[in-house]
Amino acid sequence: MNKLDALFSDDKLALIFYLTGGEFPLEETLKIVEILVESGADCLELGVPFSDPLADGATIQEAMQIALKRDTSLRDILELAKEISKRFQMPLLLMGYYNPFYQYGLSRLCQEAKERGVDGLIVPDLPPEEAEELIESVRENDLRTVFLLAPTSDEKRYKIVGGVTTGFIYYVSVKGITGEREELPKDIEEKVPRIKEVTGKPVAVGFGISKTSHIRWLRDFADGAVVGSALLGLLRKYEGETRFKVVRDFVSSLSKETIKTIGLKGFVE
Amino acid sequence: MERKGYFGPFGGRFVPETLIPALEELERSYQRAKNSRKFKEKLNYYLKNYAGRPTPLYFAERMTRELGGAKIYLKREDLLHTGAHKINNTLGQALLAMEMGKRRIIAETGAGQHGVATATVCALFGLECVIYMGEEDMRRQKLNVFRMELLGAKVVPVSSGSRTLKDAINEALRDWITNVDTTYYLLGSVVGPHPYPAIVRDFQSVIGEETKRQISEIEGRLPDYLIACVGGGSNSMGFFHPFFEDKEVKFIGVEGGGNEKGNAASLCEGKIGFLHGSKTYILQDEEGQIRSTHSIAPGLDYPGVGPEHSFYKEVGRAEYVKVNDREALEAFEILSRLEGIIPALESAHAVAHCLKLAPRCPKDTIIIVNLSGRGDKDISEAMEVLRSEQT
């Protein structure tokens, strides 16, 4: 069984949230996840801290620095995944850079991740051409792959990425790194349906997603949306009960906008 | 056949998807330029008339006599414009950027040598230039920051991570991801994703090609040893590569052995991993986090190394050794006194290994040391260390 297989539907945009594992102590992290789930999150992406996260902007870089100062290891993240999947049913992804995964051992990583309730892996610095070994380990352990496409990708890339994706395609909304943005590029509206058509795979849009207006726009042509830096920004800005309330309000406000208004199919068969 | 973009098991293209099309475009453009007579003529024109090539192959007579063993030659890359081999590569890549129609150049720099060489060619060709430099390095290398600004470059301080070269590369890559349509990333060493290690190697190979011609003219044969320092590894790769098939020529790469606080010897002390887009030897901890490094030579102070060097190590084509801060400083003084040449602290590492090797060799042995840069940039640092030791 893999929980990712039931993540996407024809009538609702899936809301995926990103947290850097180890930025907060375990109990606090579990409380945050509980609030995410209660307020309408559909999936969680758990970030593995790395010293040199070159696809990430300032917010996630800082989260990783904090996690590393707290001596967070990949083993700790796997234990965190276990605690989360014990309590909550939603699909769980590990997002991490390749070197820490490679040093841990890809086969061992995938096996232990599966045992702890993880459903898929995202490795932002591992394009399909270099991913043979990872794809093999992911497949052997009934996990799913999530590969990325970007505004610079052409149809040839769509086919390559579509061919090895077993979870969903993560469409990077902008030329750039992670971080909140006011406006998203208009061409997402044409690119995402085209990617779905070429690959036959569900597509979630990430990078810069931070507003209800973004969700309202994406819901009718994308299958999912990933929110990272905007959430981390709130978690860092507020403390105590206020923090939990602010996060609850933020996630609920996004969640309210996820019901699709037009009868678009989730993806083309 | 070998996998594309690999040197044996090393190299590859481990970068975010956004950059893949840009790297493919770069590869195509480079292949075109490489086969273009016009491009080669233009590059050779600037190498000769602007940078000052060919550089001499100088017989170090006093040093040879003092050490009492092998005959020692120095390849004088320190005599090039801007004071180091870096300009061979920045001229080549700036011309390539213009062929590609890109007029915004970004680059990383550690100590500032590659930054200065990049700012220089951008001034020469009228290109916009942005240099990423760690805050910590900017503090240590104020003069080079000013030099780059004088040449019209914008120097952007990098405050993430350890605030040194590796973080400057991260930040340059982030800029490139963001401005990929208009921007050319002018990488300074044989590191990074394919095709950079091959491009930088090819532009630096002029060092080894000239050396081969010169030593054949002077001695009528090839040398027994080539010695060069290895940080990212561009001067050594450019020096070694043209001799790859000449199996009788032994290559020795000298890494920064640092001191008790740390080192920068990726090949001697590191293990295989992934950094800045390629699979190579890396200084890292058990968790795969990149370790902070130390070397008295800022140009060696980097936790990775070019993937082709990892390949040379793997197949035994080159030997890699380390020289510590102390030994490098001694060599810095010895070469200054014996030959009237003040070497860069990076190049002093290669000299230091030569000081160990030469006395053990018979008199008909020929050693060539690549003197990759001059020491002017290191004077105040060396003065501080040497004076503090006297008191």
Side-chain angles (χ1 to χ4, degrees), chain A residues 184-222:
Chain A
L184 298 176
K186 280 277 151 260
D187 66 355
I188 300 178
E189 209 165 0
E190 284 98 53
K191 297 234 170 153
V192 169
R194 184 64 192 149
I195 293 169
K196 289 166 61 160
E197 201 180 318
V198 173
T199 63
K201 299 287 158 66
V203 177
V205 180
F207 283 38
I209 315 273
S210 50
K211 298 169 144 9
T212 52
S213 60
H214 296 159
I215 301 296
R216 208 177 301 137
W217 180 51
L218 291 172
R219 66 188 174 196
D220 286 329
F221 59 85

Short mmCIF file of all heavy atoms in Angstrom, two decimals, chain A residues 184-222:
data_model
loop_
_atom_site.label_atom_id
_atom_site.label_comp_id
_atom_site.label_asym_id
_atom_site.label_seq_id
_atom_site.Cartn_x
_atom_site.Cartn_y
_atom_site.Cartn_z
N LEU A 184 2.78 34.73 -9.29
CA LEU A 184 3.33 33.54 -9.95
C LEU A 184 3.30 33.78 -11.46
O LEU A 184 2.43 34.50 -11.95
CB LEU A 184 2.49 32.32 -9.60
CG LEU A 184 2.44 31.94 -8.11
CD1 LEU A 184 1.50 30.76 -7.90
CD2 LEU A 184 3.82 31.60 -7.58
N PRO A 185 4.25 33.19 -12.20
CA PRO A 185 4.26 33.40 -13.65
C PRO A 185 2.96 32.91 -14.30
O PRO A 185 2.47 31.83 -13.97
CB PRO A 185 5.44 32.55 -14.12
CG PRO A 185 6.26 32.30 -12.92
CD PRO A 185 5.35 32.32 -11.75
N LYS A 186 2.43 33.69 -15.21
CA LYS A 186 1.15 33.39 -15.86
C LYS A 186 1.19 32.09 -16.66
O LYS A 186 0.18 31.41 -16.81
CB LYS A 186 0.77 34.55 -16.80
CG LYS A 186 0.16 35.73 -16.08
CD LYS A 186 -1.34 35.50 -15.83
CE LYS A 186 -1.83 36.22 -14.57
NZ LYS A 186 -1.97 35.35 -13.40
N ASP A 187 2.39 31.77 -17.20
CA ASP A 187 2.43 30.62 -18.12
C ASP A 187 2.23 29.26 -17.44
O ASP A 187 2.10 28.25 -18.11
CB ASP A 187 3.73 30.63 -18.93
CG ASP A 187 4.96 30.41 -18.06
OD1 ASP A 187 4.83 30.34 -16.82
OD2 ASP A 187 6.07 30.31 -18.62
N ILE A 188 2.17 29.24 -16.11
CA ILE A 188 1.90 27.98 -15.41
C ILE A 188 0.59 27.37 -15.92
O ILE A 188 0.46 26.16 -16.06
CB ILE A 188 1.78 28.21 -13.88
CG1 ILE A 188 3.08 28.80 -13.34
CG2 ILE A 188 1.48 26.92 -13.15
CD1 ILE A 188 3.03 29.11 -11.85
N GLU A 189 -0.34 28.26 -16.22
CA GLU A 189 -1.67 27.86 -16.65
C GLU A 189 -1.63 27.02 -17.95
O GLU A 189 -2.47 26.17 -18.17
CB GLU A 189 -2.50 29.12 -16.89
CG GLU A 189 -3.96 28.96 -16.68
CD GLU A 189 -4.67 30.32 -16.58
OE1 GLU A 189 -3.98 31.38 -16.68
OE2 GLU A 189 -5.88 30.34 -16.41
N GLU A 190 -0.65 27.33 -18.82
CA GLU A 190 -0.52 26.53 -20.05
C GLU A 190 0.41 25.33 -19.83
O GLU A 190 0.18 24.26 -20.36
CB GLU A 190 0.05 27.36 -21.20
CG GLU A 190 -0.94 28.31 -21.85
CD GLU A 190 -0.81 29.72 -21.32
OE1 GLU A 190 0.31 30.26 -21.35
OE2 GLU A 190 -1.83 30.28 -20.85
N LYS A 191 1.47 25.57 -19.04
CA LYS A 191 2.49 24.52 -18.89
C LYS A 191 1.97 23.30 -18.15
O LYS A 191 2.22 22.17 -18.57
CB LYS A 191 3.71 25.09 -18.17
CG LYS A 191 4.39 26.21 -18.95
CD LYS A 191 5.87 25.94 -19.14
CE LYS A 191 6.45 26.93 -20.11
NZ LYS A 191 7.86 27.19 -19.91
N VAL A 192 1.28 23.51 -17.04
CA VAL A 192 0.84 22.37 -16.23
C VAL A 192 -0.10 21.43 -17.00
O VAL A 192 0.15 20.22 -17.04
CB VAL A 192 0.24 22.85 -14.89
CG1 VAL A 192 -0.46 21.70 -14.16
CG2 VAL A 192 1.34 23.45 -14.01
N PRO A 193 -1.14 21.95 -17.66
CA PRO A 193 -1.98 21.03 -18.45
C PRO A 193 -1.20 20.29 -19.53
O PRO A 193 -1.44 19.12 -19.81
CB PRO A 193 -3.03 21.96 -19.07
CG PRO A 193 -3.09 23.13 -18.15
CD PRO A 193 -1.69 23.31 -17.65
N ARG A 194 -0.24 20.99 -20.13
CA ARG A 194 0.58 20.36 -21.18
C ARG A 194 1.43 19.23 -20.59
O ARG A 194 1.57 18.16 -21.20
CB ARG A 194 1.46 21.43 -21.85
CG ARG A 194 2.29 20.94 -23.01
CD ARG A 194 1.44 20.47 -24.18
NE ARG A 194 2.26 19.74 -25.15
CZ ARG A 194 1.82 18.75 -25.90
NH1 ARG A 194 0.54 18.36 -25.83
NH2 ARG A 194 2.62 18.14 -26.75
N ILE A 195 2.01 19.46 -19.43
CA ILE A 195 2.82 18.42 -18.78
C ILE A 195 1.95 17.20 -18.46
O ILE A 195 2.34 16.06 -18.68
CB ILE A 195 3.48 18.96 -17.49
CG1 ILE A 195 4.53 20.02 -17.84
CG2 ILE A 195 4.12 17.84 -16.68
CD1 ILE A 195 5.06 20.81 -16.66
N LYS A 196 0.74 17.47 -17.97
CA LYS A 196 -0.17 16.37 -17.66
C LYS A 196 -0.52 15.58 -18.91
O LYS A 196 -0.57 14.34 -18.90
CB LYS A 196 -1.44 16.92 -17.00
CG LYS A 196 -1.16 17.42 -15.58
CD LYS A 196 -2.29 18.27 -15.02
CE LYS A 196 -3.57 17.48 -14.93
NZ LYS A 196 -4.52 18.10 -13.97
N GLU A 197 -0.72 16.30 -19.99
CA GLU A 197 -1.07 15.67 -21.26
C GLU A 197 0.07 14.78 -21.76
O GLU A 197 -0.13 13.64 -22.15
CB GLU A 197 -1.37 16.77 -22.27
CG GLU A 197 -2.20 16.35 -23.45
CD GLU A 197 -2.43 17.54 -24.39
OE1 GLU A 197 -2.69 18.66 -23.88
OE2 GLU A 197 -2.31 17.35 -25.61
N VAL A 198 1.29 15.33 -21.72
CA VAL A 198 2.45 14.59 -22.25
C VAL A 198 2.81 13.40 -21.37
O VAL A 198 3.16 12.34 -21.86
CB VAL A 198 3.68 15.53 -22.41
CG1 VAL A 198 4.92 14.75 -22.79
CG2 VAL A 198 3.39 16.61 -23.45
N THR A 199 2.75 13.60 -20.05
CA THR A 199 3.26 12.56 -19.14
C THR A 199 2.18 11.62 -18.60
O THR A 199 2.49 10.51 -18.18
CB THR A 199 3.93 13.21 -17.90
OG1 THR A 199 2.95 13.95 -17.16
CG2 THR A 199 5.05 14.16 -18.31
N GLY A 200 0.94 12.09 -18.56
CA GLY A 200 -0.11 11.28 -17.94
C GLY A 200 0.04 11.17 -16.43
O GLY A 200 -0.53 10.29 -15.80
N LYS A 201 0.85 12.06 -15.85
CA LYS A 201 1.09 12.00 -14.41
C LYS A 201 0.47 13.21 -13.71
O LYS A 201 0.35 14.28 -14.30
CB LYS A 201 2.61 12.00 -14.12
CG LYS A 201 3.36 10.82 -14.73
CD LYS A 201 3.08 9.53 -13.98
CE LYS A 201 3.35 8.27 -14.78
NZ LYS A 201 4.73 8.02 -15.14
N PRO A 202 0.07 13.06 -12.44
CA PRO A 202 -0.41 14.22 -11.69
C PRO A 202 0.70 15.25 -11.50
O PRO A 202 1.88 14.87 -11.41
CB PRO A 202 -0.85 13.66 -10.34
CG PRO A 202 -0.54 12.22 -10.33
CD PRO A 202 0.10 11.83 -11.62
N VAL A 203 0.32 16.52 -11.43
CA VAL A 203 1.31 17.58 -11.28
C VAL A 203 0.97 18.48 -10.09
O VAL A 203 -0.15 18.99 -9.99
CB VAL A 203 1.37 18.46 -12.56
CG1 VAL A 203 2.36 19.62 -12.37
CG2 VAL A 203 1.76 17.62 -13.77
N ALA A 204 1.93 18.63 -9.19
CA ALA A 204 1.78 19.59 -8.09
C ALA A 204 2.72 20.75 -8.36
O ALA A 204 3.83 20.56 -8.87
CB ALA A 204 2.12 18.93 -6.76
N VAL A 205 2.26 21.96 -8.05
CA VAL A 205 3.05 23.16 -8.31
C VAL A 205 3.66 23.66 -7.00
O VAL A 205 2.95 23.75 -5.98
CB VAL A 205 2.19 24.27 -8.94
CG1 VAL A 205 3.01 25.53 -9.21
CG2 VAL A 205 1.55 23.78 -10.23
N GLY A 206 4.93 23.98 -7.02
CA GLY A 206 5.58 24.49 -5.81
C GLY A 206 6.52 25.63 -6.12
O GLY A 206 6.71 25.98 -7.28
N PHE A 207 7.10 26.23 -5.11
CA PHE A 207 8.00 27.40 -5.12
C PHE A 207 7.16 28.67 -5.19
O PHE A 207 6.51 28.95 -6.20
CB PHE A 207 8.99 27.40 -6.30
CG PHE A 207 10.17 26.46 -6.14
CD1 PHE A 207 10.02 25.22 -5.56
CD2 PHE A 207 11.45 26.84 -6.57
CE1 PHE A 207 11.10 24.35 -5.41
CE2 PHE A 207 12.54 25.97 -6.43
CZ PHE A 207 12.36 24.74 -5.85
N GLY A 208 7.17 29.44 -4.13
CA GLY A 208 6.50 30.74 -4.13
C GLY A 208 5.05 30.72 -3.71
O GLY A 208 4.43 31.77 -3.54
N ILE A 209 4.44 29.54 -3.56
CA ILE A 209 3.01 29.47 -3.25
C ILE A 209 2.78 29.92 -1.80
O ILE A 209 3.30 29.30 -0.87
CB ILE A 209 2.46 28.04 -3.41
CG1 ILE A 209 2.98 27.42 -4.69
CG2 ILE A 209 0.94 28.03 -3.27
CD1 ILE A 209 2.22 27.64 -5.91
N SER A 210 2.04 31.00 -1.62
CA SER A 210 1.92 31.56 -0.28
C SER A 210 0.58 32.23 -0.01
O SER A 210 0.34 32.71 1.09
CB SER A 210 3.06 32.58 -0.06
OG SER A 210 3.10 33.50 -1.14
N LYS A 211 -0.31 32.28 -1.00
CA LYS A 211 -1.53 33.09 -0.84
C LYS A 211 -2.78 32.32 -1.26
O LYS A 211 -2.69 31.43 -2.11
CB LYS A 211 -1.44 34.35 -1.72
CG LYS A 211 -0.31 35.27 -1.37
CD LYS A 211 -0.21 36.30 -2.49
CE LYS A 211 0.17 37.66 -2.03
NZ LYS A 211 0.59 37.91 -0.70
N THR A 212 -3.89 32.73 -0.71
CA THR A 212 -5.16 32.10 -1.11
C THR A 212 -5.41 32.33 -2.60
O THR A 212 -5.94 31.46 -3.28
CB THR A 212 -6.35 32.67 -0.30
OG1 THR A 212 -6.31 34.09 -0.39
CG2 THR A 212 -6.28 32.26 1.15
N SER A 213 -5.01 33.50 -3.09
CA SER A 213 -5.23 33.78 -4.53
C SER A 213 -4.45 32.80 -5.41
O SER A 213 -4.90 32.43 -6.49
CB SER A 213 -4.83 35.21 -4.85
OG SER A 213 -3.47 35.42 -4.55
N HIS A 214 -3.27 32.38 -4.95
CA HIS A 214 -2.50 31.39 -5.70
C HIS A 214 -3.29 30.07 -5.80
O HIS A 214 -3.38 29.47 -6.86
CB HIS A 214 -1.16 31.09 -5.02
CG HIS A 214 -0.23 32.27 -4.97
ND1 HIS A 214 0.81 32.37 -4.07
CD2 HIS A 214 -0.19 33.42 -5.70
CE1 HIS A 214 1.45 33.51 -4.26
NE2 HIS A 214 0.86 34.16 -5.23
N ILE A 215 -3.83 29.64 -4.66
CA ILE A 215 -4.55 28.36 -4.60
C ILE A 215 -5.80 28.42 -5.49
O ILE A 215 -6.09 27.50 -6.25
CB ILE A 215 -4.95 28.03 -3.14
CG1 ILE A 215 -3.71 27.94 -2.25
CG2 ILE A 215 -5.77 26.74 -3.07
CD1 ILE A 215 -2.75 26.83 -2.60
N ARG A 216 -6.51 29.54 -5.37
CA ARG A 216 -7.75 29.72 -6.14
C ARG A 216 -7.46 29.60 -7.64
O ARG A 216 -8.24 29.06 -8.40
CB ARG A 216 -8.33 31.11 -5.82
CG ARG A 216 -9.85 31.18 -5.96
CD ARG A 216 -10.35 32.56 -5.56
NE ARG A 216 -10.01 32.90 -4.19
CZ ARG A 216 -9.55 34.10 -3.78
NH1 ARG A 216 -9.37 35.08 -4.64
NH2 ARG A 216 -9.28 34.33 -2.52
N TRP A 217 -6.32 30.11 -8.05
CA TRP A 217 -5.94 30.08 -9.46
C TRP A 217 -5.51 28.67 -9.88
O TRP A 217 -5.93 28.15 -10.91
CB TRP A 217 -4.81 31.09 -9.68
CG TRP A 217 -4.30 31.17 -11.09
CD1 TRP A 217 -5.03 31.32 -12.23
CD2 TRP A 217 -2.93 31.09 -11.50
NE1 TRP A 217 -4.21 31.36 -13.32
CE2 TRP A 217 -2.91 31.23 -12.91
CE3 TRP A 217 -1.72 30.96 -10.82
CZ2 TRP A 217 -1.72 31.20 -13.63
CZ3 TRP A 217 -0.54 30.94 -11.55
CH2 TRP A 217 -0.54 31.07 -12.95
N LEU A 218 -4.66 28.03 -9.04
CA LEU A 218 -4.08 26.74 -9.40
C LEU A 218 -5.10 25.60 -9.41
O LEU A 218 -4.95 24.62 -10.15
CB LEU A 218 -2.97 26.36 -8.40
CG LEU A 218 -1.68 27.19 -8.42
CD1 LEU A 218 -0.79 26.80 -7.23
CD2 LEU A 218 -0.93 26.95 -9.73
N ARG A 219 -6.14 25.71 -8.58
CA ARG A 219 -7.00 24.55 -8.31
C ARG A 219 -7.65 23.97 -9.55
O ARG A 219 -7.92 22.77 -9.61
CB ARG A 219 -8.08 24.91 -7.29
CG ARG A 219 -9.09 25.94 -7.80
CD ARG A 219 -10.02 26.38 -6.69
NE ARG A 219 -10.89 27.46 -7.16
CZ ARG A 219 -11.59 28.25 -6.36
NH1 ARG A 219 -11.52 28.10 -5.04
NH2 ARG A 219 -12.35 29.20 -6.86
N ASP A 220 -7.92 24.80 -10.56
CA ASP A 220 -8.65 24.28 -11.72
C ASP A 220 -7.77 23.64 -12.79
O ASP A 220 -8.28 23.06 -13.73
CB ASP A 220 -9.52 25.39 -12.32
CG ASP A 220 -10.73 25.65 -11.44
OD1 ASP A 220 -11.20 24.69 -10.78
OD2 ASP A 220 -11.19 26.80 -11.37
N PHE A 221 -6.47 23.77 -12.66
CA PHE A 221 -5.64 23.09 -13.67
C PHE A 221 -4.50 22.26 -13.09
O PHE A 221 -3.88 21.47 -13.80
CB PHE A 221 -5.11 24.09 -14.70
CG PHE A 221 -4.26 25.21 -14.12
CD1 PHE A 221 -2.91 25.01 -13.91
CD2 PHE A 221 -4.84 26.43 -13.79
CE1 PHE A 221 -2.13 26.03 -13.39
CE2 PHE A 221 -4.05 27.45 -13.26
CZ PHE A 221 -2.70 27.25 -13.06
N ALA A 222 -4.20 22.42 -11.80
CA ALA A 222 -3.14 21.60 -11.20
C ALA A 222 -3.77 20.54 -10.29
O ALA A 222 -4.95 20.63 -9.95
CB ALA A 222 -2.19 22.48 -10.40
#
